[in-house]
Each structure stands twice: as C-alpha cells, then as structure tokens.
Amino acid sequence: MGRVTFIQVVVLSSVLIFSNFTYAQLKQNYYANICPNVETIVRNAVAAKVKQTFVTIPGTLRLFFHDCFVQGCDASVMIASSGSNTAEKDHPDNLSLAGDGFDTVIKAKAAVDAVASCKNKVSCADILTMATRDVVALAGGPSYAVELGRLDGLSSTSASVGGNLPKPNMNLDQLNRMFAGHGLNQADMIALSGAHTLGFSHCNQFSNRIYNFSKQNPVDPTLNPTYATQLQQQCPKNVDPRIAINMDPNTPRTFDNVYYKNLQQGQGLFTSDQVLFTDSRSKPTVDVWASSSQAFNNAFISAMTKLGRVGVKTGSNGNIRLDCSAFN
C-alpha cells in the first residue's frame, strides 16, 4: 500500500511539475524583443473588425474558450477540415461558433505579418489570446495584461471535442467537474460563465425550459415567468433554427456584471446559468458579483489568465503557423 501511495505521489508531482513547466514560458511582454508593437497591431485590427460588426466581440470570446477547453490554448479550433481529417471546428458543438471570431484572428494575423520584423514570429494562439482581451475591453470590460508565448498545436480532430465543452443543461457538479479537469475552480467557472453577459444563443439550446420541462411544469419553475413568456414569443415552437436571441436580455452589448443580477431575477438563459443562483454552494458568489462589478472584473481576469495556461504547447509540441487555418 505504501508503495502505491508513493507512486501516486510521484505521478501527481510530475503532473504538477509538467503542467507548471508547460506554461512557465508564458510571460507578459513575451514579444518585446521579437515584435515589440504586436499588442497595438492586434488591438487596432480588432477595433477595426468590431466597427464592422458587433458579433466580433462575443464571437472571439467564445472562440478562445472553445479552443482552450479542447486540447489547450493552441488555436487548434482554427484549423479547417481537409482530406480525411474532420477538424475541431466541424464538430457539432463548434458549428455555432461565429465566423467573425475566426475572421478577427485571421485579420489580426495578417496585420502582424505585414510588419517585416514580425512576420511568422507570432503564434495564432497568442493572437487569439490578445484579441480576446481586446474584445472584452472594447465591450466595456476590464483590460488586463496577457501572458504570451504559446505555440500553435499540431493536431485538430473533431473526435477530441466530444464531452469536453460545457452543455446548457449541466448542473453545478457537472460544471465543476469539467472545469476542475482544466485546473479551474468553482469561482473560475462562475466568473467565466459571466461571459454570457455578451452574445446570443439559438432557441434549441434552451427550448426544453420553455415548452417541455417536465410533466408537472411545462416551463422551468426557476425561470422568471415574464422572461419565460418573452422567450416563448422570441422562440415559438418549430422556430427557424437560425434564429438567435441575446444571452443577456438587459445589456447584451456591454461586458458588465448584469449577468449575475439577471440570475437573481430568474433571467439566466440556460439551466447551467440559472443553477449558479439556485444552488446554495454557488449562490453567495453570484450575490457578491451582482453587487460589485470590481469584484467580478478581478475574478474574471484571474480566471481568464488561468484558462490561458491550459494545455500550452512548447518546443516540438507546436510551431508558429503561417496560416491560422492550416498546418504548416
């Protein structure tokens, strides 16, 4: 028994050392001597894209999350399917990712590569990380220093996606388990859920809550009744599956803490949103962040920094792609 325990300790230690080592190369101002103006170049490209369409903001934020949760933050979600390989982006869970998110990274990469000294020196994974920070700030959220130094991943398969992204109907235990698998705790999970203060969802993602929740209750009783009626009007039965509605019914274009205030009012769109308020283990955190935007912003920055360290590729495990959508 003692030997097994010792082996477990050794394995656990090596896992921790390895995970720390993989993001040890990440640091702020990583490109200071390589491409000193990279953050300004990316920010300007992102701002130009946001002027074209607001979808850039939630689209880029969601792209970063979907990338990091599958095989780590390595821009593998950007790869296009080819030949016999069906890539991550073509898995059903990723088909709703907005094209404007992908386009933001591609345009920012082109802007970076247009500078001779920067050409092919900055990874798509780092550009996505910077662009995500920038869209949050452009929507009125906090700006924060990002850690950089990721390489782009060398594989992207649809098969790697299944079961690795949160589902709209998950309960607190399921959410906590999924996030814990990436070194993120409950507070990180609740903070990252706050990204639902922006963006939109398709009706089929929550229709079960407004039409056939249970035999006793066709409508989910945790839903605010007025909000439920509003959702039924926006999403009638047999609605066009392309119809999308705002995740935050009150300030859908602003990155703020209203998401948590909505949860207090029974206006969480998904089961996985509303459960953060109905479950007594997570409710206190929701209440604190509903009352303090500063506390939420600080928690969000911390959670995004930790998320950005997940599965970082180094050395021969990655490279810098010439084209974000194709392997070199």
Side-chain angles (χ1 to χ4, degrees), residues 17-26 309 311-314 317:
I17 290 165
F18 178 71
S19 61
N20 285 337
F21 174 74
T22 54
Y23 72 77
Q25 74 175 55
L26 291 186
R309 295 169 178 167
V312 168
K313 305 298 183 289
T314 61
N317 291 324

Side-chain angles (χ1 to χ4, degrees), residues 18 61 97-98 144-145 151 173 177 181 190 281 283 296 298 318:
F18 178 71
L61 183 53
L97 289 171
Y144 50 95
L151 290 177
D173 289 324
R177 200 157 42 240
I190 300 170
R281 294 168 293 172
K283 181 179 182 289
F296 163 54
N298 291 343

Side-chain angles (χ1 to χ4, degrees), residues 123-172:
S123 69
C124 301
D126 275 347
I127 289 173
L128 174 55
T129 305
M130 287 182 266
T132 302
R133 180 265 312 270
D134 295 337
V135 295
V136 168
L138 286 164
S143 189
Y144 50 95
V146 286
E147 297 176 339
L148 302 169
R150 297 163 191 78
L151 290 177
D152 296 322
L154 304 177
S155 89
S156 176
T157 63
S158 173
S160 62
V161 179
N164 286 317
L165 291 166
K167 297 283 189 190
N169 60 352
M170 281 186 167
N171 62 34
L172 191 69

Side-chain angles (χ1 to χ4, degrees), residues 40 42 65 70 82 93 121 148 174 204 229 241 268 273 282 301 311:
T40 305
V42 171
F65 184 87
V70 178
S82 61
D93 289 353
K121 301 275 177 64
L148 302 169
Q174 292 169 316
N204 65 347
T229 303
D273 292 314
S282 45
I301 292 168

